[in-house]
Amino acid sequence: MNATQRRRLLLNRAILILSTVAAVIGLVFLFWILTTLLIKGLDSIHWRIFTHDLVEKGLRNLIVGQMILAGVASLIGVPLGLLAGIYLREYGLNSAFARFIRNLSDVMMSAPSIVIGVFIYGILVAPVGGFNGWAGSVALAIMMIPIVVSTTDSMLSLVPQELREAGIALGASKAQVILTIVLKAAKIGLVTGILLAFARVVGETAPLLFTSANNDYFTLNMNQQFPSLTVSIYQLATFPDKPSQDLAWAGSVILTALVLLINLTTRYIFRKRKSK
Amino acid sequence: MFNRLFRLSSYTAALLVLVILAGIFGVLYYYARDAIHDFGFWHFITTSTWEVGEDDEGGVFGGLIPILGTLFSTGIAMLFAVPIAMGIAVFLTEIATEKLKAPVGIAIELLAAIPSIIYGMWGLFYFGPMLQRLFGGQSNSLLTAGLVLGIMVIPFMAAISRDAINTTPAVLKESAYAMGATRFEVVKDVIFPYAKRGIIGSMVLSLGRALGETMAVAFVIGGVFRFPHSLTQPTISIPVLLANNFAEAGDLELSAMFYMALILFGISFITITIAKFFFLKDQK
Amino acid sequence: MNLAMETKEFYFTYAGAEAPTLKGIDMPIYANKVTALIGPSGCGKSTLLRSWNRIHDVYPGNRYEGEILLYDKEGNEENILSYSKEDELIRLRQRVGMIFQKPTPFPMSIYDNIAYGLRLAGIKNRSELDGRVEKALKGAAIWNEVKDRLKQSAMGLSGGQQQRLCIARAVALKPELLLFDEPTSALDPISTGAIEELVTELKEEVTIAIVTHNMQQASRVSDYTAFMYLGDLIEFGKTEKIFVNPKEKLTEEYITGRFG
């Protein structure tokens, strides 16, 4: 074994060990976070949390509020994202305009979420004179749009061209082909994308801080300040008293469990399709 | 008829992406115009005072400290995250046994989905105090913020890089092994060049996330308007300034806040655009 | 006649599998001859070929039993299955090169593709590299097509050119044995012809083993043929013998296209 050879092998060994060590370091941190969350959370979750509102040291109104905020955001953001994605893949393809929008959508995906909150404050809070649930939902919807655009774009690109041609050959219009054939063929991928977009925004805090803000009481009226689990976690965690902090941990566990549940469900749906 | 209508509405939706982005710039500029008028650009970004005047009227506002806080915390995050995320990606694709790949891979993906506020809380109650015991200084500091940000983007970066690496055809790797390459040489000479786009893409996306992240940082950076003379001192970043002070700001201060948001958006926009232009040109 | 390699009582089992894929293979490979491996898909011919440079070791958990002896020019033998250290495997792969089903140019320039293995082997001298790259490209009959664009990406070449580039890349290391794993299955007839011609020329310098699903190809290029079926070596012999007058009924049925 000559010197070059020896050096190559040593370098190889060193890098492989370093990669493994890096992986272990990363995993240790991540494991630490999860166990902390689990221990603190299970410690502080009681049944009464689900039946009382924040004003009585419960989380009921916050969980419901968070789901409504994200749900309404989906009602706004998903159709728009789907339509834009359909345009990019089915009409625009590689035209300069489509490429431009695709790039902008990617940039929008990286836009700081707090900036979106500030923007919505400017158009939906300041002009109407107060925080309101709609503003929060629109802020979340703006975060969803580029995610849905991007997954729609790539999921539709997986639909074989022959399928579209076959539809056209039967005399269907382009819109009919898209709505009845292409979307159906890409259904599972699209659902996956939508669920992931939902999971991404349901855990957001920053865009809600000065749009829907927060509400200690239960409400379904989106014209007023709206209860939010994430915003409450932020506020409760910085209070010095233990009950508040415990409530923040309980909220964190519930939020994480919800997000992970959606992710696991998505994974399950996707895998089921693959195995077919 | 329906056909045309459908086309038109999908076109409108696509156009909306442009309208929203332009709208963000426009609205932020509109509200920031007083601060822009009073402080200019160069003066604003080089001034390190943030003081409200008497009776909440006027004041002197400069963005230097939060801008530096944002850039430094992001820099620390990337320095910490890139090697570890690459290590995880290489480990998951080229080193781990089949039995380890799936569970560790799924764990990484799930961790990437955890809301950032959870990372922030963990940093506040556990990681920050630990760093303080190790390095002294304060529990909430630039270092804590940077590292928490880094830890937050690691799973995200690792998961995307792993997917990119996995697209390398097995036969391409085999042909490098068949020439007597070591595992590291295959990674360096074949896999990384082949998966370059995806790997750099993962870094760019992570950079974007770190730059604009609020909640993971808000708990742990300290939130004080002060230049940190060491890594273990507290400071503030643009998102945290907005999160903490936006709702209570007076007229001119609010305008300065919008100015800060505009600058943050500008930084993120320019970074992502440059990165896309240089590294991620459309391959088509 | 000199032996280049000899496989004895060889069993191969894939990771996680119960039963072996190759069941007691015994066969020689003669030096400076072309040996073809034929058989229906799933018969184990590629698995066997891939054992000869132990490329299976890239994936953990695969198991070998038996002996595979590699002979050098002086007739000294080494059992390649006894190798366990990485440097032994690297040395083995420098001695036994491999060409794959699909062309596998690395994402770098034409020149760097050829120089890659040489640099790994420790050659840094620029003029020596230039010389060996040119020689390898000439040896693979592609020099005239690429000599003016050595610095350009290898991805821009046609499929047939890419495959000849890969052959040049392997030849550059001056291997003793070259393994071809269905090298023309992704190519058009003209490129296929060029590769076959190249294989015939190369055997002056190097011993060749080739897996092919194309029986005409086996009869055109090989001196010896091995017919495999369900993990067994059914028959081995001179190519004329196998194709004209096989001993085994199974071989005859396969050759005449009764199954496959």
Side-chain angles (χ1 to χ4, degrees):
Chain A
M1 190 160 57
N2 60 32
T4 323
Q5 202 85 327
R6 190 167 301 133
R7 230 192 48 232
R8 286 175 60 204
L9 290 171
L10 267 175
L11 187 63
N12 180 52
R13 181 86 28 95
I15 298 282
L16 292 188
I17 291 173
L18 278 179
S19 299
T20 313
V21 169
V24 170
I25 292 177
L27 290 171
V28 163
F29 277 125
L30 300 169
F31 188 72
W32 183 9
I33 292 171
L34 275 193
T35 42
T36 305
L37 190 62
L38 219 62
I39 291 168
K40 289 300 280 185
L42 291 182
D43 208 33
S44 43
I45 288 188
H46 300 285
W47 186 243
R48 67 172 302 280
I49 282 177
F50 297 98
T51 54
H52 292 75
D53 296 334
L54 182 59
V55 67
E56 302 156 324
K57 296 280 172 208
L59 300 174
R60 181 184 70 142
N61 66 325
L62 306 176
I63 298 170
V64 174
Q66 192 81 12
M67 295 302 283
I68 291 175
L69 285 172
V72 172
S74 307
L75 291 180
I76 304 167
V78 169
L80 290 173
L82 277 176
L83 276 173
I86 287 172
Y87 180 81
L88 294 183
R89 184 51 54 186
E90 301 295 325
Y91 294 105
L93 275 173
N94 285 323
S95 69
F97 175 72
R99 283 210 311 267
F100 178 60
I101 295 293
R102 221 172 256 136
N103 282 326
L104 282 188
S105 172
D106 287 351
V107 171
M108 192 167 151
M109 206 175 331
S110 296
S113 56
I114 192 135
V115 169
I116 291 171
V118 171
F119 163 63
I120 296 298
Y121 176 90
I123 57 170
L124 290 177
V125 176
V128 302
F131 300 124
N132 60 87
W134 298 111
S137 282
V138 173
L140 294 183
I142 287 181
M143 299 207 60
M144 286 184 92
I145 289 173
I147 307 177
V148 178
V149 168
S150 147
T151 49
T152 306
D153 191 14
S154 56
M155 286 305 157
L156 295 186
S157 75
L158 297 178
V159 176
Q161 197 56 31
E162 292 79 21
L163 225 53
R164 298 184 179 88
E165 289 166 4
I168 299 280
L170 287 173
S173 71
K174 186 146 188 174
Q176 282 170 327
V177 169
I178 293 169
L179 289 171
T180 57
I181 299 175
V182 177
L183 288 189
K184 212 164 247 169
K187 193 174 66 188
I188 306 241
L190 296 176
V191 170
T192 309
I194 292 165
L195 282 175
L196 289 179
F198 181 87
R200 176 105 168 76
V201 301
V202 81
E204 275 294 340
T205 316
L208 302 175
L209 286 174
F210 9 89
T211 50
S212 52
N214 201 5
N215 197 327
D216 291 355
Y217 298 90
F218 188 92
T219 180
L220 298 174
N221 180 357
M222 294 189 71
N223 292 322
Q224 48 177 318
Q225 289 195 214
F226 212 71
S228 154
L229 182 59
T230 48
V231 174
S232 302
I233 293 172
Y234 179 47
Q235 292 162 348
L236 289 167
T238 46
F239 288 155
D241 62 307
K242 190 166 181 308
S244 294
Q245 291 181 2
D246 282 349
L247 206 54
W249 280 112
S252 302
V253 174
I254 293 166
L255 183 68
T256 309
L258 177 71
V259 170
L260 294 190
L261 192 70
I262 299 171
N263 269 276
L264 287 170
T265 313
T266 318
R267 182 180 295 278
Y268 176 74
I269 298 175
F270 212 71
R271 173 146 333 147
K272 219 169 133 193
R273 182 192 67 160
K274 263 194 201 157
S275 66
K276 256 186 220 161
Chain B
M1 180 59 206
F2 171 73
N3 203 21
R4 301 258 300 275
L5 200 69
F6 183 72
R7 191 196 158 107
L8 187 70
S9 55
S10 75
Y11 175 80
T12 313
L15 199 61
L16 192 66
V17 172
L18 173 63
V19 171
I20 292 174
L21 269 183
I24 296 178
F25 272 116
V27 168
L28 295 184
Y29 180 82
Y30 174 79
Y31 282 93
R33 68 195 189 288
D34 286 344
I36 295 172
H37 176 264
D38 285 11
F39 308 117
F41 177 69
W42 191 245
H43 185 243
F44 184 74
I45 64 166
T46 52
T47 301
S48 57
T49 29
W50 190 277
E51 270 163 18
V52 184
E54 299 277 312
D55 304 327
D56 282 356
E57 291 286 320
V60 179
F61 303 106
L64 180 66
I65 287 175
I67 290 172
L68 289 179
T70 303
L71 297 180
F72 282 143
S73 57
T74 305
I76 295 170
M78 294 305 280
L79 284 179
F80 183 66
V82 167
I84 290 191
M86 291 304 112
I88 293 178
V90 170
F91 177 79
L92 278 179
T93 50
E94 305 300 314
I95 300 176
T97 57
E98 289 302 318
K99 274 188 197 136
L100 264 181
K101 272 180 194 174
V104 177
I106 292 174
I108 294 285
E109 277 173 46
L110 292 182
L111 283 161
I114 290 182
S116 57
I117 192 168
I118 309 293
Y119 287 91
M121 272 182 73
W122 168 79
L124 174 66
F125 289 111
Y126 294 90
F127 190 56
M130 188 197 84
L131 286 177
Q132 188 183 22
R133 280 196 298 279
L134 284 176
F135 302 114
Q138 305 218 4
S139 161
N140 291 343
S141 67
L142 180 58
L143 182 69
T144 313
L147 293 182
V148 169
L149 261 186
I151 291 167
M152 182 193 85
V153 297
I154 283 172
F156 179 71
M157 199 190 292
I160 304 182
S161 295
R162 178 208 51 188
D163 292 346
I165 289 176
N166 271 339
T167 62
T168 316
V171 68
L172 196 62
K173 292 191 255 177
E174 286 173 9
S175 54
Y177 284 118
M179 307 195 62
T182 62
R183 210 159 273 259
F184 164 61
E185 284 157 354
V186 173
V187 169
K188 171 172 71 85
D189 299 324
V190 177
I191 294 176
F192 272 22
Y194 188 89
K196 192 170 59 187
R197 256 183 79 86
I199 292 173
I200 293 177
S202 81
M203 293 179 192
V204 170
L205 284 173
S206 305
L207 178 69
R209 279 199 174 186
L211 270 177
E213 177 56 39
T214 310
M215 303 321 292
V217 186
F219 285 119
V220 293
I221 199 168
V224 296
F225 229 93
R226 193 163 29 157
F227 185 80
H229 290 284
S230 85
L231 285 177
T232 55
Q233 296 289 308
T235 183
I236 199 165
S237 72
I238 302 177
V240 177
L241 170 70
L242 296 171
N244 290 350
N245 302 11
F246 188 88
E248 287 94 37
D251 286 348
L252 185 61
E253 188 182 11
L254 191 69
S255 180
M257 292 278 184
F258 272 100
Y259 199 2
M260 287 268 68
L262 183 61
I263 288 173
L264 177 64
F265 191 42
I267 294 174
S268 134
F269 190 93
I270 290 167
T271 313
I272 301 294
T273 311
I274 289 177
K276 272 184 86 76
F277 186 77
F278 276 109
F279 301 120
L280 307 172
K281 275 188 199 148
D282 276 346
Q283 73 273 61
K284 285 161 239 161
Chain C
M1 205 158 17
N2 290 327
L3 278 169
M5 187 176 257
E6 199 173 8
T7 306
K8 289 181 170 173
E9 263 308 287
F10 177 63
Y11 289 80
F12 180 84
T13 314
Y14 277 108
E18 292 282 312
T21 302
L22 297 176
K23 297 169 256 184
I25 307 287
D26 282 285
M27 72 173 275
I29 295 176
Y30 295 110
N32 296 94
K33 301 288 179 203
V34 177
T35 304
L37 293 174
I38 61 169
S41 33
C43 70
K45 54 191 193 296
S46 279
T47 306
L48 179 59
L49 189 86
R50 290 162 63 87
S51 303
W52 289 338
N53 68 346
R54 294 201 37 192
I55 197 80
H56 289 302
D57 286 49
V58 170
Y59 310 99
N62 296 319
R63 300 195 298 283
Y64 308 91
E65 285 162 64
E67 279 187 349
I68 297 177
L69 304 176
L70 177 63
Y71 294 85
D72 66 14
K73 292 263 188 316
E74 283 75 45
N76 304 315
E77 59 176 56
E78 272 183 63
N79 180 8
I80 68 167
L81 297 184
S82 70
Y83 295 160
S84 58
K85 296 204 203 76
E86 184 141 27
D87 61 298
E88 291 172 323
L89 289 177
I90 288 176
R91 182 78 198 103
L92 168 67
R93 287 165 190 159
Q94 286 166 343
R95 290 175 67 186
V96 181
M98 187 169 227
I99 312 296
F100 295 82
Q101 276 194 10
K102 285 191 192 136
T104 53
F106 297 143
M108 46 180 96
S109 74
I110 293 171
Y111 182 95
D112 288 337
N113 259 280
I114 309 292
Y116 184 70
L118 298 172
R119 289 193 177 119
L120 290 186
I123 299 170
K124 295 209 180 66
N125 182 299
R126 184 74 204 191
S127 62
E128 189 184 353
L129 276 179
D130 287 351
R132 300 240 339 225
V133 167
E134 181 175 339
K135 187 154 179 283
L137 287 168
K138 280 180 174 157
I142 190 180
W143 171 251
N144 285 330
E145 292 156 71
V146 301
K147 63 172 185 244
D148 299 323
R149 46 170 169 158
L150 291 175
K151 294 287 160 215
Q152 288 174 26
S153 167
M155 313 307 262
L157 298 172
S158 74
Q161 288 174 325
Q162 288 185 352
Q163 193 62 305
R164 274 179 288 147
L165 179 81
C166 292
I167 295 174
R169 193 169 68 187
V171 167
L173 284 171
K174 296 188 182 152
E176 296 153 39
L177 174 60
L178 256 187
L179 309 173
F180 287 76
D181 190 359
E182 302 197 23
T184 60
S185 63
L187 301 181
D188 61 82
I190 293 175
S191 306
T192 300
I195 302 279
E196 287 180 7
E197 203 173 310
L198 188 54
V199 166
T200 323
E201 283 168 21
L202 281 173
K203 72 177 178 185
E204 304 288 322
E205 306 277 329
V206 53
T207 309
I208 287 167
I210 178 167
V211 163
T212 176
H213 60 277
N214 175 334
M215 273 173 292
Q216 283 74 34
Q217 183 167 72
S219 70
R220 277 194 301 264
V221 302
S222 70
D223 305 298
Y224 289 87
T225 295
F227 170 63
M228 295 181 65
Y229 185 67
L230 296 178
D232 287 312
L233 177 66
I234 304 297
E235 191 168 352
F236 173 85
K238 290 218 171 219
T239 299
E240 312 91 82
K241 179 89 181 6
I242 298 277
F243 276 86
V244 177
N245 188 15
K247 277 200 298 257
E248 303 290 330
K249 193 156 184 304
L250 208 53
T251 314
E252 188 183 344
E253 284 178 354
Y254 181 71
I255 302 282
T256 53
R258 227 142 331 138
F259 70 96

Coordinates of all heavy atoms in Angstrom, one line a residue, chain B residues 201-246:
Chain B
G201 N -30.1 23.9 -3.2 CA -31.4 24.3 -3.0 C -31.9 24.2 -1.5 O -32.5 25.1 -1.0
S202 N -31.5 23.0 -0.9 CA -31.8 22.8 0.5 C -31.2 23.9 1.4 O -31.8 24.4 2.3 CB -31.4 21.4 1.0 OG -30.1 21.4 1.3
M203 N -30.0 24.3 1.0 CA -29.3 25.3 1.8 C -29.9 26.7 1.6 O -30.1 27.4 2.6 CB -27.8 25.4 1.4 CG -27.0 24.1 1.8 SD -25.3 24.3 1.3 CE -24.8 22.6 1.5
V204 N -30.3 27.0 0.4 CA -30.9 28.3 0.1 C -32.3 28.4 0.8 O -32.5 29.4 1.5 CB -31.1 28.4 -1.4 CG1 -32.0 29.7 -1.7 CG2 -29.8 28.6 -2.1
L205 N -33.1 27.3 0.7 CA -34.4 27.3 1.4 C -34.2 27.5 2.9 O -34.9 28.2 3.6 CB -35.1 26.1 1.1 CG -35.8 26.0 -0.3 CD1 -36.4 24.6 -0.5 CD2 -36.8 27.1 -0.4
S206 N -33.2 26.8 3.5 CA -32.9 26.9 4.9 C -32.5 28.3 5.3 O -32.8 28.8 6.3 CB -31.8 25.9 5.3 OG -32.2 24.6 4.9
L207 N -31.6 28.9 4.4 CA -31.2 30.2 4.7 C -32.3 31.2 4.7 O -32.5 32.0 5.6 CB -30.2 30.6 3.5 CG -29.6 32.0 3.6 CD1 -28.7 32.2 4.8 CD2 -28.9 32.4 2.3
G208 N -33.3 31.0 3.8 CA -34.5 31.8 3.7 C -35.3 31.7 5.0 O -35.7 32.7 5.6
R209 N -35.4 30.4 5.5 CA -36.2 30.2 6.7 C -35.5 30.8 7.9 O -36.1 31.5 8.7 CB -36.3 28.7 7.0 CG -37.3 28.1 6.2 CD -37.7 26.7 6.8 NE -38.8 26.2 6.1 CZ -39.5 25.1 6.5 NH1 -39.1 24.4 7.5 NH2 -40.5 24.7 5.8
A210 N -34.1 30.7 8.0 CA -33.4 31.3 9.1 C -33.5 32.8 9.1 O -33.7 33.4 10.2 CB -32.0 30.8 9.1
L211 N -33.4 33.4 8.0 CA -33.4 34.9 7.9 C -34.7 35.4 8.4 O -34.7 36.4 9.1 CB -33.3 35.3 6.4 CG -31.9 35.5 5.9 CD1 -32.0 35.9 4.4 CD2 -31.2 36.6 6.6
G212 N -35.8 34.8 8.1 CA -37.1 35.3 8.4 C -37.7 34.7 9.6 O -38.9 35.1 10.0
E213 N -37.0 33.8 10.3 CA -37.6 33.1 11.4 C -37.9 34.1 12.6 O -37.0 34.8 13.0 CB -36.8 32.0 11.8 CG -37.3 31.2 13.0 CD -38.7 30.7 12.9 OE1 -39.0 30.3 11.7 OE2 -39.5 30.8 13.8
T214 N -39.0 34.0 13.2 CA -39.4 34.8 14.3 C -39.4 34.0 15.6 O -38.6 34.3 16.5 CB -40.8 35.4 14.1 OG1 -40.9 36.0 12.9 CG2 -41.0 36.5 15.2
M215 N -40.2 33.0 15.6 CA -40.5 32.4 16.9 C -39.3 31.6 17.6 O -39.2 31.6 18.8 CB -41.7 31.5 16.8 CG -43.0 32.1 16.3 SD -43.2 33.8 16.9 CE -43.5 33.5 18.6
A216 N -38.5 30.9 16.7 CA -37.4 30.2 17.3 C -36.4 31.1 17.9 O -35.7 30.8 18.8 CB -36.8 29.3 16.2
V217 N -36.4 32.4 17.4 CA -35.4 33.4 17.9 C -36.0 34.2 19.0 O -35.2 34.6 19.9 CB -35.0 34.3 16.7 CG1 -33.9 35.2 17.1 CG2 -34.5 33.4 15.5
A218 N -37.3 34.5 18.9 CA -37.9 35.5 19.8 C -37.6 35.2 21.3 O -37.3 36.1 22.1 CB -39.4 35.6 19.6
F219 N -37.7 33.9 21.6 CA -37.5 33.5 23.0 C -36.1 33.6 23.5 O -35.8 33.8 24.7 CB -37.9 32.0 23.2 CG -39.4 31.8 23.2 CD1 -39.9 31.0 22.2 CD2 -40.2 32.3 24.1 CE1 -41.3 30.7 22.2 CE2 -41.6 32.1 24.1 CZ -42.1 31.3 23.1
V220 N -35.1 33.5 22.6 CA -33.7 33.2 23.0 C -32.7 34.3 22.6 O -31.6 34.2 23.0 CB -33.2 31.9 22.5 CG1 -34.0 30.7 23.2 CG2 -33.3 31.8 21.0
I221 N -33.1 35.3 21.9 CA -32.1 36.3 21.5 C -31.9 37.4 22.5 O -31.0 38.2 22.5 CB -32.3 36.8 20.1 CG1 -31.1 37.4 19.5 CG2 -33.5 37.8 20.1 CD1 -31.1 37.7 18.0
G222 N -32.9 37.5 23.4 CA -32.8 38.5 24.5 C -33.7 39.7 24.2 O -34.3 40.3 25.1
G223 N -33.7 40.1 22.9 CA -34.6 41.2 22.6 C -34.2 42.5 23.1 O -35.1 43.4 23.3
V224 N -32.9 42.8 23.3 CA -32.5 44.1 23.8 C -31.8 44.8 22.7 O -31.1 44.2 21.9 CB -31.6 44.0 25.0 CG1 -32.4 43.4 26.2 CG2 -30.4 43.2 24.7
F225 N -32.0 46.1 22.6 CA -31.4 46.9 21.6 C -30.0 47.3 21.9 O -29.7 48.3 22.4 CB -32.3 48.2 21.4 CG -32.6 48.4 20.0 CD1 -33.8 48.0 19.5 CD2 -31.7 49.1 19.2 CE1 -34.1 48.2 18.1 CE2 -32.0 49.3 17.8 CZ -33.2 48.8 17.3
R226 N -29.1 46.3 21.7 CA -27.7 46.5 22.1 C -26.8 45.7 21.2 O -27.2 44.6 20.8 CB -27.6 46.1 23.6 CG -26.3 46.6 24.2 CD -26.3 46.4 25.7 NE -27.2 45.3 26.1 CZ -27.2 44.7 27.2 NH1 -26.4 45.0 28.1 NH2 -28.0 43.7 27.5
F227 N -25.7 46.3 20.9 CA -24.8 45.6 20.1 C -24.1 44.6 20.9 O -23.5 44.9 22.0 CB -23.7 46.6 19.5 CG -22.8 45.9 18.5 CD1 -23.2 45.7 17.2 CD2 -21.6 45.5 18.9 CE1 -22.4 45.1 16.3 CE2 -20.7 44.8 18.0 CZ -21.1 44.6 16.7
P228 N -24.1 43.3 20.5 CA -23.5 42.3 21.3 C -21.9 42.3 21.2 O -21.4 42.1 20.0 CB -24.1 41.0 20.7 CG -24.4 41.3 19.3 CD -24.6 42.8 19.2
H229 N -21.2 42.6 22.2 CA -19.8 42.6 22.1 C -19.1 41.2 22.2 O -18.0 41.0 21.9 CB -19.2 43.5 23.2 CG -19.5 45.0 22.8 ND1 -18.8 45.7 21.9 CD2 -20.4 45.8 23.3 CE1 -19.3 46.9 21.7 NE2 -20.3 47.0 22.6
S230 N -19.9 40.2 22.6 CA -19.5 38.8 22.4 C -20.7 38.0 22.0 O -21.8 38.4 22.1 CB -18.8 38.3 23.7 OG -19.8 37.8 24.6
L231 N -20.4 36.8 21.6 CA -21.5 35.9 21.1 C -22.5 35.6 22.2 O -23.6 35.3 22.0 CB -20.9 34.6 20.6 CG -20.2 34.7 19.2 CD1 -19.6 33.3 18.9 CD2 -21.2 35.1 18.2
T232 N -22.0 35.7 23.5 CA -22.9 35.3 24.6 C -23.7 36.4 25.1 O -24.3 36.3 26.2 CB -22.1 34.6 25.7 OG1 -21.1 35.5 26.1 CG2 -21.5 33.3 25.3
Q233 N -23.7 37.6 24.4 CA -24.5 38.7 24.8 C -25.8 38.7 24.1 O -25.9 38.3 22.9 CB -23.7 40.0 24.5 CG -22.4 40.2 25.2 CD -22.6 40.5 26.7 OE1 -23.4 41.4 27.0 NE2 -22.0 39.7 27.5
P234 N -26.8 39.3 24.7 CA -28.1 39.3 24.0 C -28.1 40.5 23.0 O -27.4 41.4 23.1 CB -29.1 39.6 25.2 CG -28.3 40.3 26.2 CD -26.9 39.8 26.1
T235 N -29.0 40.4 22.0 CA -29.2 41.4 21.0 C -30.6 41.3 20.5 O -31.5 40.7 21.2 CB -28.1 41.4 19.9 OG1 -28.3 42.5 19.1 CG2 -28.1 40.1 19.1
I236 N -30.9 41.8 19.3 CA -32.2 41.6 18.7 C -32.1 41.4 17.2 O -31.1 41.8 16.6 CB -33.0 42.9 19.1 CG1 -34.5 42.6 18.9 CG2 -32.6 44.1 18.2 CD1 -35.4 43.7 19.6
S237 N -33.1 40.8 16.6 CA -33.1 40.7 15.2 C -34.4 41.4 14.6 O -35.3 41.7 15.4 CB -33.1 39.2 14.8 OG -34.4 38.6 15.1
I238 N -34.5 41.6 13.3 CA -35.6 42.3 12.8 C -36.9 41.6 13.1 O -37.8 42.3 13.6 CB -35.5 42.5 11.3 CG1 -34.2 43.2 10.9 CG2 -36.7 43.3 10.7 CD1 -33.9 43.4 9.4
P239 N -37.1 40.3 12.9 CA -38.4 39.7 13.2 C -38.7 39.8 14.7 O -39.9 40.0 15.0 CB -38.1 38.2 12.8 CG -37.0 38.2 11.8 CD -36.2 39.3 12.2
V240 N -37.7 39.7 15.5 CA -38.0 39.8 17.0 C -38.4 41.2 17.4 O -39.3 41.4 18.2 CB -36.8 39.3 17.8 CG1 -37.1 39.5 19.3 CG2 -36.5 37.8 17.4
L241 N -37.7 42.2 16.8 CA -38.1 43.6 17.0 C -39.6 43.8 16.6 O -40.4 44.4 17.4 CB -37.2 44.5 16.2 CG -37.7 46.0 16.1 CD1 -37.4 46.7 17.5 CD2 -36.9 46.8 15.0
L242 N -40.0 43.3 15.5 CA -41.4 43.4 15.0 C -42.3 42.7 16.0 O -43.3 43.2 16.4 CB -41.5 42.8 13.6 CG -40.7 43.6 12.5 CD1 -40.8 42.8 11.2 CD2 -41.3 45.0 12.4
A243 N -41.9 41.4 16.3 CA -42.8 40.6 17.2 C -43.0 41.3 18.5 O -44.1 41.3 19.1 CB -42.3 39.2 17.4
N244 N -42.0 41.9 19.1 CA -42.1 42.4 20.5 C -42.7 43.8 20.5 O -43.4 44.1 21.4 CB -40.7 42.5 21.1 CG -40.1 41.1 21.4 OD1 -40.9 40.1 21.3 ND2 -38.9 41.0 21.8
N245 N -42.4 44.6 19.5 CA -42.7 46.1 19.7 C -43.7 46.6 18.7 O -44.1 47.7 18.8 CB -41.4 46.9 19.5 CG -40.4 46.5 20.5 OD1 -40.5 45.5 21.2 ND2 -39.3 47.3 20.7
F246 N -44.1 45.8 17.7 CA -44.9 46.3 16.6 C -46.3 46.8 17.2 O -46.7 47.9 16.9 CB -45.2 45.2 15.6 CG -45.9 45.7 14.4 CD1 -45.2 46.2 13.3 CD2 -47.2 45.6 14.2 CE1 -45.8 46.7 12.2 CE2 -47.9 46.0 13.1 CZ -47.2 46.5 12.1

